[in-house]
Amino acid sequence: MKKDIYVLGTGLSHNGSSVLLKNGRVLVGIEKERLSRIKHDGGNDSLTTEYCLKAAGIGLDEIDLVVQCENFVIPSKNEFKGPRVFKNYPDEKFVSISHHLAHAYSVIGTCPYKKFNVLVIDGCGSPYDQCNDENLPDLKELNLNFSDGLICEKDSYYHYDGTKLHTLFKDFSPLNTQKSPWLPTTNHSIGGFYSAISHYCFGNMDDVGKLMGLAPLGKPEIQHEAFYFEKGRVFLSPQWDQPLTTPAHHWEGFKQNRQHYANMAFWAQREVERAVEYILESRLKGETATPLAYTGGVALNAVANSRLIRKGVVNQLYIEPAAADNGIALGCAFYGWLEIVKGKRQIHDGSTCFGSSYSFSASKETINTLKNCSIKELDEENLLEQTARLIADNKTVGWFQGGCEFGPRALGRRSILANPSNRSMQDHINSHIKFREDFRPFAPSILPEELHNLFQDKLNSPYMVLVDRPIDSAINQLAAVIHVDGSSRTQTVEKEWNPRFYKLLKTLKKHTGVGAVLNTSFNKKGQPMVEKPEEAIDLFLNSAMDALVIENHLISKQSFVY
């Protein structure tokens, strides 16, 4: 019998994570924030490594290879922001790879295409002298030299021919060394620019998703061009930050000048779309027959992604669901399997749900916590029927199923669900369940076969990284999941890897006439998505959520009878 081969990939920058492959397929993966309960947590990887080992039921001595990545340094096997679990295993084989290479291999491992181009755009990658890519450009050709300071990856473009990754173009930029808080990345970073405006509006560089939600409330009053373009490269203008005159230092300040910040978000979104489109047109040079795989934090900008498709800049587009740094561990693992172990590339099943499963254990402590609730254990048919009826009756339902999603989007494993036709649900969930800003939109999760009945562009979007526009006759059916600009960030639910969520939508369609549900991540403001049942129960009990489904158990605050 052949020995199983285990490869562990681990990312140690912000949005840290670990992923374990068994014979070239994802066995388990987890983001550190889900375990530490600190959003965007990174650094030391002991928590995530131990989680993967426990889920796999193996010891560290059974790991054949560890591949790691951190943005600026090569971490020690024994120590990185605290002791690492590898310290007592001196024979563990360790490999370090650079940032954009890890991003690229995350799509090589998960992309459904055989041959494709790869685009990476993010905030900041590895320093030039730590890059593992073949055919690195001569810095003189980019008018750069080491006297400029630390030179780091800005965007990268590759071709994967089915067996090997070829570097086609890489751009670099000096790391920003000014004391201005606006750009703590490279001097000409698209992702860094967007993070800077997030920091300006919300006081937090990591709220870029929130910025995308705010942008449609803005007006095109800022005409200043943040970027200029030259010979296929994108640069920030010398006076790019001229409009940044009144940063919001707290929520009250934001509310008092809300329209200004909305206008800033509108401007930032427009400028990012312009820059990304230029890069792609420059790289593709009109050749759109070859599929494109897209990753890096900027690839999570669903509005920009959809614009590329609508304008015909790209025809076949795969976007890595964990495109930000949480996907680095995935790329490390696949690099190890393909390039070090020399394993065969396996076609991924499309799932992003790499976490461990939990059963609902009704201990005495749990029963006491839920003493004022109804708890029912149901077979699947009755569970789906009663859950669908609750949603159709305008109740909010926490939905906790199987292993958690890997990446920033709730795709039907750690979700809060509601009736998409009830317009008041947006305010209710934002105010009384998630306790977050009132402008934050929600997504519709839909049956793929319903696309033609509901949306104009009919974009297949299993990972919630594209936006579409409802057709006129569907606007009332989707009132709670249409943003102020008439768009919706959609998820088309895949039956193959999300079967119970798919069945729920089929059941819901019988009650509402539409195969769609309002879906938002199972968390409240400032917290990661719930990982364990007790975290789901805590939010359920301390919010206005009406019911909670954990595997086959339906828990409600009143005894709903159907």
Side-chain angles (χ1 to χ4, degrees):
M1 178 184 287
K2 267 189 168 182
K3 175 191 175 296
D4 291 322
I5 297 176
Y6 293 97
V7 177
L8 180 74
T10 188
L12 296 114
S13 57
H14 68 110
N15 292 320
S17 60
S18 293
V19 170
L20 183 64
L21 302 187
K22 179 181 178 180
N23 301 326
R25 294 188 183 278
V26 177
L27 183 62
V28 60
I30 191 70
E31 296 164 67
K32 187 177 179 182
E33 67 168 28
R34 307 292 179 90
L35 306 177
S36 69
R37 310 307 301 158
I38 301 169
K39 287 201 78 172
H40 309 294
D41 200 6
N44 184 275
D45 56 355
S46 293
L47 268 179
T48 52
T49 299
E50 288 169 346
Y51 177 100
C52 290
L53 293 173
K54 181 180 178 182
I58 63 172
L60 196 56
D61 57 342
E62 295 174 77
I63 299 293
D64 296 276
L65 172 68
V66 179
V67 182
Q68 65 176 4
C69 176
E70 200 277 344
N71 268 35
F72 300 111
V73 301
I74 298 176
S76 159
K77 176 193 284 190
N78 297 339
E79 189 94 10
F80 183 73
K81 299 186 178 179
R84 299 177 76 185
V85 296
F86 312 107
K87 184 174 184 178
N88 298 323
Y89 291 85
D91 296 330
E92 207 80 61
K93 186 174 181 181
F94 248 68
V95 173
S96 295
I97 64 172
S98 50
H99 197 77
H100 281 199
L101 199 62
H103 272 310
Y105 272 84
S106 74
V107 293
I108 290 172
T110 58
C111 181
Y113 307 121
K114 183 178 179 182
K115 300 178 181 180
F116 46 90
N117 296 324
V118 179
L119 178 65
V120 181
I121 308 178
D122 62 2
C124 182
S126 291
Y128 180 89
D129 57 5
Q130 291 178 16
C131 288
N132 305 97
D133 311 67
E134 64 164 26
N135 300 327
L136 285 178
D138 187 328
L139 286 183
K140 291 180 181 177
E141 295 174 6
L142 301 175
N143 294 318
L144 294 169
N145 59 71
F146 288 113
S147 64
D148 296 326
L150 199 60
I151 308 293
C152 296
E153 294 171 303
K154 185 161 75 72
D155 58 81
S156 299
Y157 188 58
Y158 306 93
H159 176 70
Y160 184 71
D161 65 8
T163 57
K164 186 173 175 57
L165 185 71
H166 303 275
T167 305
L168 301 180
F169 187 91
K170 284 180 72 72
D171 201 3
F172 289 82
S173 175
L175 195 67
N176 181 44
T177 56
Q178 298 177 12
K179 292 186 178 180
S180 164
W182 301 131
L183 197 68
T185 57
T186 61
N187 286 342
H188 301 290
S189 164
I190 296 174
F193 163 76
Y194 207 65
S195 293
I197 307 306
S198 166
H199 186 250
Y200 175 83
C201 293
F202 309 118
N204 187 336
M205 288 192 305
D206 291 318
D207 278 334
V208 289
K210 190 188 299 187
L211 193 68
M212 190 166 56
L214 178 63
L217 282 76
K219 300 175 183 177
E221 294 187 355
I222 302 169
Q223 299 304 316
H224 184 66
E225 290 191 345
F227 296 101
Y228 70 94
F229 311 136
E230 190 174 283
K231 297 180 179 178
R233 300 173 66 199
V234 170
F235 299 92
L236 270 171
S237 303
Q239 302 299 319
W240 71 271
D241 57 352
Q242 187 178 1
L244 280 64
T245 55
T246 50
H249 297 294
H250 42 69
W251 177 233
E252 287 304 314
F254 175 90
K255 288 193 294 185
Q256 290 169 9
N257 205 3
R258 178 175 170 139
Q259 190 58 53
H260 167 71
Y261 298 112
N263 293 347
M264 291 293 291
F266 181 96
W267 169 66
Q269 179 64 34
R270 183 192 68 204
E271 291 300 290
V272 164
E273 290 177 22
R274 196 168 65 89
V276 170
E277 186 175 338
Y278 176 80
I279 283 180
L280 255 180
E281 287 179 337
S282 300
R283 305 293 178 267
L284 294 175
K285 296 182 173 62
E287 196 279 301
T288 59
T290 303
L292 179 71
Y294 184 24
T295 187
V298 177
L300 292 174
N301 193 306
V303 178
N305 297 342
S306 301
R307 172 179 167 138
L308 295 172
I309 294 172
R310 287 196 194 98
K311 294 192 70 173
V313 177
V314 60
N315 290 333
Q316 299 178 79
L317 179 64
Y318 169 75
I319 301 162
E320 211 283 280
D325 279 11
N326 40 20
I328 287 295
L330 195 60
C332 287
F334 281 117
Y335 180 90
W337 171 254
L338 294 169
E339 301 301 332
I340 308 298
V341 176
K342 300 298 181 183
K344 182 180 178 183
R345 181 176 181 245
Q346 314 281 352
I347 297 300
H348 184 60
D349 65 3
S351 174
T352 70
C353 302
F354 304 150
S356 294
S357 294
Y358 300 85
S359 62
F360 173 67
S361 178
S363 64
K364 277 189 177 181
E365 185 179 336
T366 303
I367 292 294
N368 288 336
T369 302
L370 297 168
K371 60 186 177 183
N372 295 321
C373 299
S374 163
I375 306 174
K376 303 177 187 176
E377 185 173 7
L378 304 166
D379 61 40
E380 184 174 75
E381 183 178 352
N382 280 311
L383 181 80
L384 297 175
E385 178 67 23
Q386 294 198 31
T387 302
R389 288 191 182 191
L390 287 168
I391 294 169
D393 285 353
N394 296 311
K395 301 294 190 289
T396 52
V397 177
W399 182 254
F400 184 108
Q401 297 290 318
C404 67
E405 304 90 339
F406 188 84
R409 308 289 184 236
L411 302 176
R413 299 292 183 94
R414 302 290 187 273
S415 293
I416 298 170
L417 308 176
N419 189 340
S421 66
N422 185 340
R423 192 181 301 275
S424 66
M425 279 297 173
Q426 183 175 9
D427 287 338
H428 173 61
I429 295 173
N430 275 334
S431 298
H432 306 300
I433 296 177
K434 301 199 62 155
F435 308 105
R436 67 181 192 177
E437 300 86 354
D438 58 358
F439 62 82
R440 305 284 293 276
F442 296 109
S445 293
I446 59 176
L447 295 167
E449 56 267 32
E450 289 286 283
L451 268 176
H452 67 285
N453 293 326
L454 299 173
F455 289 96
Q456 296 180 31
D457 297 322
K458 304 171 183 57
L459 300 176
N460 189 47
S461 178
Y463 309 121
M464 214 181 281
V465 286
L466 296 172
V467 297
D468 211 327
R469 297 164 292 182
I471 61 175
D472 290 345
S473 60
I475 288 175
N476 289 335
Q477 294 175 306
L478 301 172
V481 290
I482 301 173
H483 206 14
V484 294
D485 61 350
S487 70
S488 292
R489 190 181 67 199
T490 56
Q491 178 203 2
T492 44
V493 178
E494 296 290 323
K495 181 180 181 180
E496 290 73 22
W497 56 266
N498 223 342
R500 181 168 279 189
F501 195 38
Y502 179 88
K503 290 176 187 175
L504 177 63
L505 292 183
K506 294 286 279 189
T507 308
L508 190 59
K509 182 173 167 59
K510 292 191 301 184
H511 293 279
T512 63
V514 57
V517 69
L518 180 156
N519 178 11
T520 185
S521 55
F522 203 144
N523 67 328
K524 68 178 183 180
K525 182 183 177 183
Q527 292 187 353
M529 276 189 270
V530 299
E531 164 63 17
K532 300 175 182 177
E534 52 264 40
E535 293 156 6
I537 290 169
D538 182 67
L539 181 51
F540 167 65
L541 293 175
N542 290 286
S543 72
M545 203 181 305
D546 296 300
L548 170 63
V549 176
I550 299 180
E551 300 302 339
N552 282 1
H553 289 79
L554 174 60
I555 307 165
S556 53
K557 290 175 180 171
Q558 300 176 46
S559 185
F560 299 110
V561 179
Y562 292 101

